[in-house]
Amino acid sequence: MILNFHLAINCSCRVDQHLKSTVEKTIGISKKAYYRVHTAHAQRTTMMKFSATKKILGVGIIAAVCICLSSTRPSSALISPRHVTTKIFRARRRQFHFHPPSMINNRPFRTSGIGNSLPFPVRVTIMGGGNFGLALASVLGRKGVPTTLLVRSADVASQLNTSHRHPRYMSDIDLPQSVVATSDPASALSDATYVVHAVPVQFSRDFLANVRDHLPPNAPVVSASKGIETSSLGFMKDILEECLGTDRSYAFLSGPSFAREICEGVATAVVIASDDTELAEDLADLMSSDTFRAFTSKDVVGIEVGGAVKNVIALAAGMCEGLGLGTNAMSGLVTRGCGEMRRLGIALGARPSTIAGLSGVGDTFGTCFGPLSRNRSFGYRLGKGESVDDILSSMTEVAEGVDTSKALVKFITEKTRGYRLDLKYPIIFGVANILEGNLTPREGLEGLMNMPLRNESYQ
């Protein structure tokens, strides 16, 4: 074959020389026209060689796939042709553990309804039985993915397995039959392909410390938590890497996604960011359906900044509504808040397009204007005159923006450079001062309206 290849090259060179001589002597065209003819001839020759190479590579790939299938999969497994040359190699690269049907607690291996029929058995464990954990369980369960909810209480797990409803959160929502619950980390995590972390940020470090020994060594972790830890001023990526190490892949899910609407099957769009592009694509394939759309991104910083700051802006928007200030004030406040989000994101290395996307402006709109927003409701009650302590004592769910606002002020002060940072981030600093009791909501608004006049896009 090598000899024939060299002969083909020599013949091609001779043909080129003959072509040049013929064109110059008999046709008499200019050198510029000759080069056009010669280029077209070279392109045709290259395309012929490329076509032959594609055929050889095609045979090699088919042979390699056959070897992989014969050595790693039972003969009865159903493989989607579209994913033969991608999903199998991704699965082998990440060293996913194959579990025969007999090893999956008597659950059959399902290939129908899971994205495009992933060629390996997928089991997902969701850590956290709150609203969003239930919502993601519904997304996966509706597609037939075996999903386990890891909850704190054995009684809650028993009720979930019996009635398929949570006794406290969205108790009128029925979970799919493929979703089971347990309070035992070893049982929930031992054979998980993917692990979803849906525990509030401020409780994540202690929770991860308790379950870390049960996590499979190669299972990627998907974080659905948003905010900044008050003690370390770290985002979720920092917390996950400190608690679980840097040897596994991580992804981060964000976007305008109220849990109840997801459970009810209302159309929802989110974004999944990861340094591992293939992981983000696999997760998007796994979760996406006719009513739940997952896009992908590599901008983890932008995703996390948007998810944290939008809750603080929602507190301010709720206060604005509680004070009865109208649509003009609300629109201006939210827009200026998005400007602070963008300013902070760029300072930390995020892409402006990410801040302008689903996880930034999109999630901010949903949280600020949506009636299901906990942070907006918290701010609304503050604007009506209630105290922070009274609101906190009456809430059954966490309003992440309360702790995040204080952590953001410390983070901006310690991690970013600049003079008069309170002028660059007046809404973030103002919300923190109100929550700490230094200002009332109306005084905070007056402070915003009396700031120095300047260019709108002041940096």
Side-chain angles (χ1 to χ4, degrees), residues 63 105 107 120 168 278 295 364:
N105 299 332
R107 287 183 178 179
F120 47 85
R168 292 179 58 193
E278 292 181 346
F295 297 88
T364 302

Side-chain angles (χ1 to χ4, degrees), residues 35 71 106 122 125 241 307 346 351 359 382 406 414 417 422 431 453-454:
Y35 283 124
S71 61
N106 297 321
V122 174
T125 295
E241 290 183 345
I346 292 175
R351 300 173 184 170
S359 63
L382 272 178
K406 303 172 186 177
E414 297 181 12
R417 298 178 180 179
D422 58 323
V431 169
L453 300 177
R454 61 189 183 190

Side-chain angles (χ1 to χ4, degrees), residues 189 208-216 244:
L189 296 167
L208 292 170
N210 293 329
V211 302
R212 128 181 93 198
D213 293 337
H214 305 290
L215 283 169
L244 305 180

Side-chain angles (χ1 to χ4, degrees), residues 29 34 47 68 134 161 185 261 329 347 365 421:
I29 62 176
Y34 155 69
M47 289 302 295
C68 291
L134 297 173
N161 292 330
E261 292 188 359
F365 286 174
L421 293 172

Side-chain angles (χ1 to χ4, degrees), residues 106-163:
N106 297 321
R107 287 183 178 179
F109 166 49
R110 307 181 183 188
T111 57
S112 60
I114 304 178
N116 292 291
S117 301
L118 298 178
F120 47 85
V122 174
R123 288 176 53 81
V124 178
T125 295
I126 298 176
M127 301 189 299
N131 279 340
F132 206 71
L134 297 173
L136 293 180
S138 295
V139 169
L140 296 167
R142 284 197 292 260
K143 298 189 68 178
V145 180
T147 305
T148 301
L149 275 169
L150 178 58
V151 297
R152 289 180 296 176
S153 169
D155 292 337
V156 171
S158 177
Q159 292 186 54
L160 281 167
N161 292 330
T162 303
S163 64

Side-chain angles (χ1 to χ4, degrees), residues 164-209:
H164 296 283
R165 291 188 177 188
H166 197 287
R168 292 179 58 193
Y169 303 126
M170 297 188 295
S171 57
D172 58 325
I173 298 292
D174 290 320
L175 293 176
Q177 296 293 320
S178 59
V179 177
V180 298
T182 180
S183 59
D184 179 17
S187 173
L189 296 167
S190 60
D191 56 357
T193 311
Y194 298 106
V195 177
V196 178
H197 180 82
V199 177
V201 172
Q202 309 306 329
F203 305 99
S204 290
R205 190 177 294 274
D206 291 339
F207 182 89
L208 292 170

Side-chain angles (χ1 to χ4, degrees), residues 18-37:
H18 178 70
L19 176 63
K20 179 178 180 181
S21 176
T22 302
V23 170
E24 287 182 340
K25 291 180 180 179
T26 62
I27 303 179
I29 62 176
S30 66
K31 286 187 177 181
K32 185 176 181 179
Y34 155 69
Y35 283 124
R36 288 200 298 267
V37 176

Side-chain angles (χ1 to χ4, degrees), residues 16-317:
D16 287 351
Q17 292 173 359
H18 178 70
L19 176 63
K20 179 178 180 181
S21 176
T22 302
V23 170
E24 287 182 340
K25 291 180 180 179
T26 62
I27 303 179
I29 62 176
S30 66
K31 286 187 177 181
K32 185 176 181 179
Y34 155 69
Y35 283 124
R36 288 200 298 267
V37 176
H38 180 273
T39 300
H41 171 74
Q43 289 176 346
R44 287 195 299 270
T45 305
T46 303
M47 289 302 295
M48 292 173 64
K49 293 178 181 178
F50 178 71
S51 178
T53 304
K54 280 204 313 184
K55 292 180 180 179
I56 294 172
L57 288 176
V59 173
I61 289 174
I62 292 173
V65 170
C66 291
I67 293 173
C68 291
L69 293 178
S70 62
S71 61
T72 62
R73 299 289 295 151
S75 59
S76 60
L78 299 178
I79 308 295
S80 172
R82 180 174 177 267
H83 289 76
V84 164
T85 58
T86 55
K87 296 295 184 181
I88 288 180
F89 296 144
R90 291 181 191 174
R92 290 174 66 86
R93 179 178 67 80
R94 294 201 188 95
Q95 301 176 8
F96 282 124
H97 302 293
F98 171 69
H99 303 283
S102 59
M103 296 175 60
I104 312 182
N105 299 332
N106 297 321
R107 287 183 178 179
F109 166 49
R110 307 181 183 188
T111 57
S112 60
I114 304 178
N116 292 291
S117 301
L118 298 178
F120 47 85
V122 174
R123 288 176 53 81
V124 178
T125 295
I126 298 176
M127 301 189 299
N131 279 340
F132 206 71
L134 297 173
L136 293 180
S138 295
V139 169
L140 296 167
R142 284 197 292 260
K143 298 189 68 178
V145 180
T147 305
T148 301
L149 275 169
L150 178 58
V151 297
R152 289 180 296 176
S153 169
D155 292 337
V156 171
S158 177
Q159 292 186 54
L160 281 167
N161 292 330
T162 303
S163 64
H164 296 283
R165 291 188 177 188
H166 197 287
R168 292 179 58 193
Y169 303 126
M170 297 188 295
S171 57
D172 58 325
I173 298 292
D174 290 320
L175 293 176
Q177 296 293 320
S178 59
V179 177
V180 298
T182 180
S183 59
D184 179 17
S187 173
L189 296 167
S190 60
D191 56 357
T193 311
Y194 298 106
V195 177
V196 178
H197 180 82
V199 177
V201 172
Q202 309 306 329
F203 305 99
S204 290
R205 190 177 294 274
D206 291 339
F207 182 89
L208 292 170
N210 293 329
V211 302
R212 128 181 93 198
D213 293 337
H214 305 290
L215 283 169
N218 298 307
V221 176
V222 187
S223 172
S225 306
K226 305 171 184 177
I228 299 180
E229 188 179 36
T230 55
S231 58
S232 68
L233 302 182
F235 289 98
M236 273 308 304
K237 182 180 181 182
D238 305 313
I239 298 171
L240 288 170
E241 290 183 345
E242 290 173 11
C243 294
L244 305 180
T246 58
D247 295 334
R248 70 176 75 242
S249 294
Y250 298 101
F252 303 86
L253 186 150
S254 188
S257 48
F258 288 120
R260 174 168 289 277
E261 292 188 359
I262 294 174
C263 291
E264 292 174 348
V266 178
T268 301
V270 300
V271 59
I272 300 173
S274 177
D275 296 328
D276 185 344
T277 304
E278 292 181 346
L279 172 61
E281 292 173 353
D282 287 345
L283 291 168
D285 285 342
L286 183 67
M287 293 184 175
S288 293
S289 65
D290 293 340
T291 59
F292 191 86
R293 205 69 188 162
F295 297 88
T296 62
S297 171
K298 294 187 67 175
D299 188 6
V300 174
V301 174
I303 295 292
E304 295 228 78
V305 169
V309 177
K310 63 98 179 181
N311 287 326
V312 180
I313 301 173
L315 288 173

